[in-house]
Amino acid sequence: MRLFVAWVTALLLACRVQAAAVFAHFMLTNSANYTSSDWENDMKLAQDTHINAFALNMAYNNPTNIKSLSAAFATADSIGFKLFFSESHYIGPLVDKAIEVFEIGQAPYNYVTDMPHDAACSSGGTSGNTAGQLQIEFPPAEMVQDRIFFSAILGSFSRAVVSIGGVAETVGWSSVLDDDVGVYHGSVAFDGRTRLVTVSLRRGSTMIATIEGKAISGSCTNGI
């Protein structure tokens, strides 16, 4: 009986170790302009939020692959970070030098840089799903939600405050992490409200950070 209990305990511990591993997807094409310092910054940021590895997504025969893979693995080895390969997508902070996929892939439309996401406008050729992956495509307007989505990497718990047109409200996170450390996600419906959007983090009675987003409006940028 003692041997059986010990075996079950060991099995449970092994399962816990596997379940505790956390990784984030990283689109390698976006690192075309990365230096070793950029890789180190991203990896250390991941480590600070208890992310154990990057799952690298890359396009076949992309010229970015050789340079970026070499730099990524060299940096990961130097700071004790893990990397492996994947075929999916990633989320993370957007910076100007990390959206090269639009240039390299010769995308007909850049839907990220300095653009509001307003389903009332033209889609600019964007679809929900892709036929290339044997998926049924839908117009974006049928899939998107009229909500403001936001994420924050936190070292301790903070509340989110969203202001639309100067009217602020405290918004709950979609989930709260056990140790309060990690990536938090939240959203709020804008219910037809327009004008300037800000998202703030409040810890106690102190606002510790505020980000100003694009104003919500009924007009379209370049008809899109």
Side-chain angles (χ1 to χ4, degrees):
M1 177 61 72
R2 289 181 179 177
L3 178 61
F4 176 75
V5 171
W7 179 79
V8 171
T9 301
L11 180 61
L12 289 174
L13 288 174
C15 291
R16 177 174 175 78
V17 170
Q18 291 178 348
V22 178
F23 61 88
H25 291 270
F26 193 104
M27 190 177 290
L28 198 68
T29 303
N30 283 336
S31 65
N33 296 320
Y34 265 36
T35 64
S36 295
S37 295
D38 294 316
W39 280 111
E40 184 173 347
N41 289 338
D42 281 1
M43 291 176 184
K44 286 186 174 179
L45 179 62
Q47 288 177 324
D48 289 343
T49 54
H50 303 296
I51 293 174
N52 305 106
F54 283 160
L56 299 178
N57 306 351
M58 58 185 181
Y60 173 73
N61 207 29
N62 191 300
T64 302
N65 294 346
I66 295 177
K67 173 188 173 184
S68 292
L69 284 175
S70 177
F73 276 93
T75 304
D77 184 61
S78 69
I79 65 173
F81 193 66
K82 304 297 183 183
L83 300 172
F84 63 95
F85 299 104
S86 175
E87 298 178 356
S88 186
H89 301 281
Y90 86 104
I91 60 172
L94 289 176
V95 293
D96 290 340
K97 68 190 305 182
I99 52 176
E100 286 300 295
V101 66
F102 292 102
E103 294 293 332
I104 294 174
Q106 299 180 355
Y109 180 69
N110 184 331
Y111 56 85
V112 172
T113 302
D114 198 31
M115 289 297 296
H117 296 270
D118 190 337
C121 303
S122 166
S123 66
T126 301
S127 65
N129 293 337
T130 172
Q133 297 294 325
L134 303 180
Q135 299 169 336
I136 299 175
E137 294 184 347
F138 295 92
E142 294 183 12
M143 302 186 70
V144 298
Q145 303 178 58
D146 287 340
R147 302 181 68 86
I148 297 167
F149 294 87
F150 51 91
S151 300
I153 300 175
L154 301 177
S156 60
F157 182 78
S158 301
R159 297 192 179 279
V161 179
V162 178
S163 173
I164 305 174
V167 180
E169 62 177 299
T170 300
V171 180
W173 300 107
S174 58
S175 62
V176 177
L177 305 177
D178 291 339
D179 59 359
D180 291 340
V181 178
V183 182
Y184 287 72
H185 305 285
S187 69
V188 60
F190 53 82
D191 294 328
R193 292 174 289 177
T194 59
R195 300 172 59 192
L196 185 66
V197 175
T198 63
V199 179
S200 303
L201 295 175
R202 184 178 66 198
R203 190 166 293 155
S205 59
T206 304
M207 290 293 188
I208 61 174
T210 297
I211 294 179
E212 183 177 299
K214 284 289 184 180
I216 301 172
S217 73
S219 61
C220 303
T221 301
N222 297 326
I224 297 175

